[in-house]
Amino acid sequence: MNTGIPFLPFPHRHLLGIEGLSPDEITLLLDRSESYVEQNRQVDKKQALLRGRTVINLFFENSTRTRTSFELAGKRLGGDVINMSVQASSIKKGETLIDTAMTLTAMHPDVLVVRHPESGAVQLLAEKVDGAVINAGDGSHEHPTQALLDALTIRRRKGRLQGLVVAICGDILHSRVARSNIALLNIMGARVRVVAPRTLLPAEIERLGVEVFHDMAGGLKEVDIVMMLRLQTERFHGSFVPSIREYFHFFGLDYAKLAAAKPDALIMHPGPMNRGVEIDTAVADDIDRSAIRQQVEMGVAVRMACLEVLTRNLSDAAPAK
Ligand code: NCD
């Protein structure tokens, strides 16, 4: 598609995280995504950019929206997409990961989209395969396409990222979404706050360049964006919150707590939501203030842009092995 946007090089073979990307590279990905937002609203959503290419979605952990949107993204660009789900509980860690990678490499995929419950596993796999690897979430480490789709949503609603005050609230400790968003927002010149009980914050979180709050009233004061996170109980080893009711009382987003934010503050959540746990249902569904549905829409466009830039890089270096 000729968008009139000049195509700048993206000097990375893989997309493993936000850390290490420059502001220009992030802007490039967001600008490319913009054109796909329009394409995805047309009746004919398909083009041939990835014709002949194979994308494998390799998911060692459950996913609905991320896997579906990568599948749609690959198909709308004209590529062949296959989905492989592997139950993490049934695999022998490490060895099986590499075995799977070697088996798949023999089938010459151009792009591997990988989600894995262990932080660092996707990077390990990227070192072993020929094609491009996109991290679709590794443990509590990174989830770069989520941060990019969040940034695209914010940029479209607020016109910029620079100078905005963003509060990321809830289970920061287990959240790869939080880590990727903190990195991206800092690179792009936003101011990031985290709001959470002490038990749900990693040690030395301040070193990531955030302001820390332990109460919603202080943390949401005058913010432009309220980003809520799911309480990721499947990653809990032990007890982190006294009870769900108490958690909602102190940290669940409802209109009373939202009143501290700017009147036009945007509400976001990566999904899946636990209604009544980290977010009140009326707030989540508020058509004026909540961008949660738009985040899902932006997800497809962002993943199309990522597939585009990474496969362009592969063109001149088809694997010979
Ligand atoms: C997030 C994830 O898997 O990290 N979800 C997503 O990708 N849409 C957040 C979560 O699971 O809470």
Side-chain angles (χ1 to χ4, degrees):
M1 179 186 274
N2 184 2
T3 57
I5 302 167
F7 198 83
L8 302 165
F10 185 76
H12 304 277
R13 182 184 184 97
H14 308 296
L15 180 64
L16 300 176
I18 295 297
E19 220 179 89
L21 298 184
S22 69
D24 283 350
E25 288 159 11
I26 291 169
T27 303
L28 163 80
L29 288 170
L30 298 181
D31 290 347
R32 297 306 302 170
S33 306
E34 282 291 347
S35 65
Y36 292 121
V37 175
E38 289 317 309
Q39 183 188 321
N40 288 334
R41 290 178 180 174
Q42 306 303 312
V43 174
D44 182 358
K45 301 173 183 58
K46 207 150 169 153
Q47 56 169 285
L49 202 77
L50 253 65
R51 199 187 143 87
R53 297 289 194 186
T54 304
V55 178
I56 300 184
N57 278 332
L58 178 59
F59 278 62
F60 293 89
E61 210 183 57
N62 288 341
S63 167
T64 311
R65 66 207 77 212
T66 304
R67 194 193 55 68
T68 316
S69 68
F70 267 113
E71 182 175 356
L72 274 179
K75 287 181 172 169
R76 286 186 183 168
L77 290 175
D80 293 316
V81 184
I82 66 155
N83 296 311
M84 266 191 74
S85 295
V86 188
Q87 277 311 316
S89 57
S90 69
I91 58 171
K92 268 193 277 151
K93 279 174 226 154
E95 199 181 45
T96 309
L97 176 71
I98 302 308
D99 278 350
T100 311
M102 297 327 289
T103 308
L104 292 177
T105 292
M107 299 178 196
H108 299 293
D110 298 282
V111 184
L112 274 173
V113 178
V114 188
R115 170 170 284 196
H116 197 282
E118 305 284 331
S119 303
V122 181
Q123 158 105 47
L124 186 70
L125 192 136
E127 288 161 14
K128 308 279 178 195
V129 299
D130 293 325
V133 174
I134 300 179
N135 182 0
D138 64 324
S140 45
H141 178 223
E142 279 244 31
H143 190 355
T145 56
Q146 179 70 44
L148 287 163
L149 77 86
D150 289 338
L152 184 64
T153 307
I154 297 172
R155 204 178 71 164
R156 286 174 72 93
R157 295 284 282 256
K158 297 286 175 196
R160 67 198 161 99
L161 294 165
Q162 169 92 33
L164 293 178
V165 184
V166 182
I168 307 179
C169 312
D171 186 359
I172 312 282
L173 180 65
H174 301 102
S175 180
R176 52 199 176 205
V177 175
R179 269 172 200 74
S180 290
N181 264 301
I182 291 169
L184 187 147
L185 291 164
N186 274 323
I187 293 168
M188 301 308 281
R191 283 175 46 204
V192 188
R193 298 177 180 178
V194 294
V195 189
R198 287 170 210 282
T199 48
L200 290 177
L201 281 170
E204 302 190 44
I205 178 81
E206 295 87 352
R207 289 171 64 170
L208 299 182
V210 296
E211 247 187 294
V212 181
F213 292 81
H214 302 294
D215 71 296
M216 294 288 270
L220 296 197
K221 196 154 189 258
E222 292 297 305
V223 299
D224 298 283
I225 310 288
V226 183
M227 195 180 281
M228 300 308 297
L229 297 173
R230 184 173 65 90
L231 209 51
Q232 299 192 32
T233 45
E234 77 278 16
R235 297 189 205 283
F236 283 17
H237 301 291
S239 173
F240 289 83
V241 292
S243 77
I244 296 300
R245 250 184 75 180
E246 191 169 328
Y247 183 77
F248 182 76
H249 177 73
F250 287 108
F251 291 97
L253 186 67
D254 54 16
Y255 282 114
K257 298 190 191 78
L258 186 62
K262 285 192 180 156
D264 62 348
L266 203 62
I267 301 155
M268 302 177 73
H269 192 302
M273 277 186 279
N274 295 311
R275 292 167 183 268
V277 178
E278 69 265 353
I279 190 163
D280 175 60
T281 245
V283 174
D285 296 336
D286 186 325
I287 48 168
D288 298 318
R289 316 240 355 226
S290 166
I292 297 171
R293 278 185 61 176
Q294 196 181 2
Q295 287 174 269
V296 179
E297 182 188 5
M298 295 307 123
V300 181
V302 156
R303 285 157 185 142
M304 289 169 86
C306 294
L307 289 172
E308 178 199 332
V309 296
L310 293 178
T311 48
R312 274 190 205 268
N313 284 352
L314 292 175
S315 321
D316 18 301
K321 282 180 258 170

